[in-house]
Amino acid sequence: MMASISAIAQSQFYNNPQSNHGNRFEDLGFLLPTPNEYRTASGAPGPKYWQQKANYDIDVTLDEQKNYIYGKETVTYFNQSPDKLDYLWLQLDENIHNPKSDNNTDKTNKITDHLTNSQILSFDPSQKMEGYGVNLTKITDAAGKTLSYTIVQTMMRIDLATPLAPGQQIIFKIDWNYKINNKAEIGGRGGYENFPEDGNNLYSITQWYPRMAVYSDFKGWQHEQFTGGAEFALTFGDFKVKITTPADHVVAATGECTNLKQMITPAQYDCWTQAHSSAEPVEVVTLDEAKTAEATKSTATKTWVFEAKNVRDFAFNSSRKFVWDVMQIDINGKKIMAQSYYPKEAYTLWRKYSTKIVAHTLRTYSKHTITYPYPQATSVEAANGMEYPMLAMNYGRTEKDGTYSEATKYGMIGVTIHEVGHNFFPMIVNSDERQWWWMDEGLNTFCQFLTEQEFDNNYPSTRGPAHLITKYMRLPKDQLEPIMTKGDAVASVGSNAYAKASTGLNILRETVMGRDLFDFAFKQYAERWAFKHPTPADLFRTLRDASGVDIDWFIRGWFFGTDPVDISLDSVKWFRLADNNTAGFQQQTFRTLGQERNKVDSSIQFDTDKDTTLRDFYYYNRGADAMLRAGDQAIKDTASLDRQNFDTWKTKNFYELTFSNDGGLVMPLIIEWTYKDGSKEVQRVPVTVWRLNEKQVSKVFIKDKEVTAIRLDPFKETADINEDNQNWPQMPMPSKFQLFKAQSGGARGQSTGGNAMQKISPQKPTQ
Ligand SMILES: [Zn+2]
């Protein structure tokens, strides 16, 4: 993100960090790359914006006996860049399971007591990776001539005999195979899960084919290694994939199945047709059919054909354990199949919620971003949470009797919204997660939060509300990192890239911009960058440019910094105007000897005595202007400075409040006043109140009524980490022991770091 020159520029920019008048309100300036003809200063794609394209034609066989994938692909790569390319980079993601890959040897660890078996293995994961990794059996050009290539762990460079000129395309072919990982044994974002009770596998075949790396105007080739952490950067293209599986498997995949009628029974195909006009999900493969299929294993095969246009990836799931239900929905006139595939182990929960949650997710995201552009969206119960175009893998197994806990229910709904939501970020708004986790995880978690809150007004969202991020923001500085930290260098991915980034967007929406301005700007970003490759600068610039709100102070503090918000109400002083109308504002009582002599000199007749029309408000009230100027601007502007008005001011209460910025990050002042008569008022002072002094400010507020209490941030919307210094008079805060007692009535455990929720008690699903 930051070029080396920016480090120098930045140090000049931060010229006086100790000053009261620091740099928190400066433009993002050197922190962002210079706008150019590819990316404009307004955050939109520029007039010469370009991106590459890769089409894939793939034949793949899933060998259930050996747990192997055998693939052959033909890639057509279009060089739409202005550059000639001497070589191409591809991703061989399955090489993360190659024992020699750095990600199996670069983990830090220490010997501790109480080691479990798996912890011992984690010292040297390469030991359990023998036999894994991608085997390339053929790489040729379209004519069958072998191409030379070099493998760099999870990346591969193919050298071109003739450079690929701008505007040209190249066709090449790759044959490969690999041993599929058992997820329970060696982990992985894909792989298979074995069900010992019936002996069947559920396959998640993901990042499984040699995939084109992204070549862009801002990075060149993106070939940072895949370590299993920071996810993917991918090029858009069209896919045609023929998937050969055991004949009794049901396959869920990216895209549309073009030979579905041959893949399922006529009765099932009738159900599929019926689902196009049903308001409720229809089971195409029923629970009974799935249970029957589990009992035997076919040795025959069949070949499913899927096609997908303008997607950045392709994944599939395959198993004979799947129940499959479908419902067609309509979003802004577009017909979309919402679908779910799940084993019997998840049936009661998934049958009730999954497809309806898929539908709700597509509708809500479409409202806040762009209308969902693909023909279908699928959620598969695969005991994890991972996203691909039109295909999301989620979790949510029930107890054996079909009941499920509250934690499982909300975990399942939350993860389904999240992973299906990833269709928008990064599958459509195609950011680079290898570089910036938060660009899709943060934006997607923010939209997940909106979607949860629109599902149920009392939905227990864990990431989004400002007050839930304070636990993380309160950590010591050496445990915090900026959101703008590169991919795999982020230590606290959940708290940082997901929670803090999504919370930042929520604060922009609810507190800094307001919903109308934010929603317009956020939608602009999605519309501008749908089916393109945005960078952080494009997001920040669009949000500012479209909203008309200067948010650089917030972006600088929240995304580039680690300072928390901690605004303290230091003091409250109460003033009233003195009763005496001539002395009321008279601040200067000292009179010179000359003034006294003039007063008794009978030869002097003062003009203001001779002509009393020369007397005004100030004649009677010296110093009034200074006093009023300190007051509330709005009230001052309406005041006409006459005698009658002074009588009005006499009844007012003037409160001088002093605030300190103890945390570092500036925020608007949100003040709740409680009056003597019991009524309350919330007043908002813009963040720019801190512009001339970022450390301490005082401000006078004029009130008709007497104030009995003042509280800062009453809705906990600024992520202020310290509630002890926000009240006047000082309120006793419950100690930790009291707090524990107060919550023991069954409140939900909220966690900043993840979706983990306390299991309360198994709950019978209501039907
Ligand atoms: Zn995610």
Side-chain angles (χ1 to χ4, degrees), residues 387 418-419 422 441 444 498:
E387 69 277 13
H418 182 96
E419 308 305 348
H422 268 307
E441 296 301 355
N444 182 44
Y498 290 67

Side-chain angles (χ1 to χ4, degrees), residues 240-241 256-262 304-307:
K240 182 171 184 187
V241 183
E256 290 178 293
C257 182
T258 57
N259 64 343
L260 184 62
K261 207 164 187 174
Q262 289 84 57
W304 301 67
V305 182
F306 283 86
E307 288 186 30

Side-chain angles (χ1 to χ4, degrees), residues 329-387:
I329 59 170
D330 181 310
I331 301 179
N332 302 326
K334 189 158 181 8
K335 305 269 187 275
I336 301 153
M337 301 306 273
Q339 321 190 68
S340 302
Y341 296 72
Y342 40 94
K344 66 177 188 304
E345 287 78 4
Y347 184 81
T348 50
L349 182 57
W350 275 61
R351 182 68 176 86
K352 184 176 181 67
Y353 285 113
S354 179
T355 295
K356 288 183 179 176
I357 293 296
V358 172
H360 172 64
T361 303
L362 299 181
R363 287 192 185 105
T364 312
Y365 276 67
S366 293
K367 186 172 71 177
H368 289 283
T369 63
I370 62 161
T371 300
Y372 185 69
Y374 293 128
Q376 63 100 348
T378 295
S379 177
V380 178
E381 205 292 323
N384 66 340
M386 193 55 207
E387 69 277 13

Side-chain angles (χ1 to χ4, degrees), residues 85-153:
L85 301 174
D86 295 311
Y87 45 80
L88 309 175
W89 282 94
L90 284 87
Q91 313 182 54
L92 300 178
D93 304 86
E94 260 307 308
N95 271 350
I96 62 158
H97 295 129
N98 184 314
K100 294 199 182 97
S101 286
D102 284 354
N103 61 289
N104 291 317
T105 53
D106 69 356
K107 303 289 179 291
T108 58
N109 28 50
K110 280 182 177 175
I111 295 282
T112 51
D113 294 338
H114 313 298
L115 281 171
T116 64
N117 246 339
S118 66
Q119 283 168 322
I120 291 175
L121 266 179
S122 76
F123 290 146
D124 185 5
S126 67
Q127 288 194 5
K128 55 182 177 178
M129 303 293 180
E130 280 310 323
Y132 291 98
V134 182
N135 306 304
L136 294 166
T137 53
K138 192 178 96 177
I139 302 187
T140 70
D141 64 13
K145 188 164 169 273
T146 299
L147 292 168
S148 89
Y149 62 92
T150 303
I151 294 175
V152 186
Q153 301 185 40

Side-chain angles (χ1 to χ4, degrees), residues 52 77 89 91 212-216 218-223 233-235 430 432 533:
Q52 304 295 65
Y77 186 68
W89 282 94
Q91 313 182 54
M212 287 307 304
V214 170
Y215 182 74
S216 70
F218 59 90
K219 175 100 181 169
W221 286 103
Q222 168 54 290
H223 45 38
L234 292 155
T235 302
N430 190 350
D432 174 352
H533 298 281

Side-chain angles (χ1 to χ4, degrees), residues 365-434:
Y365 276 67
S366 293
K367 186 172 71 177
H368 289 283
T369 63
I370 62 161
T371 300
Y372 185 69
Y374 293 128
Q376 63 100 348
T378 295
S379 177
V380 178
E381 205 292 323
N384 66 340
M386 193 55 207
E387 69 277 13
Y388 299 91
M390 304 184 225
L391 182 71
M393 289 154 217
N394 299 304
Y395 68 83
R397 305 267 159 90
T398 68
E399 307 292 332
K400 280 220 155 40
D401 65 358
T403 62
Y404 48 84
S405 68
E406 188 180 13
T408 303
K409 173 191 165 180
Y410 286 109
M412 175 266 177
I413 293 176
V415 76
T416 302
I417 294 172
H418 182 96
E419 308 305 348
V420 173
H422 268 307
N423 271 301
F424 295 83
F425 307 101
M427 302 307 156
I428 296 164
V429 179
N430 190 350
S431 52
D432 174 352
E433 184 168 334
R434 190 64 46 85

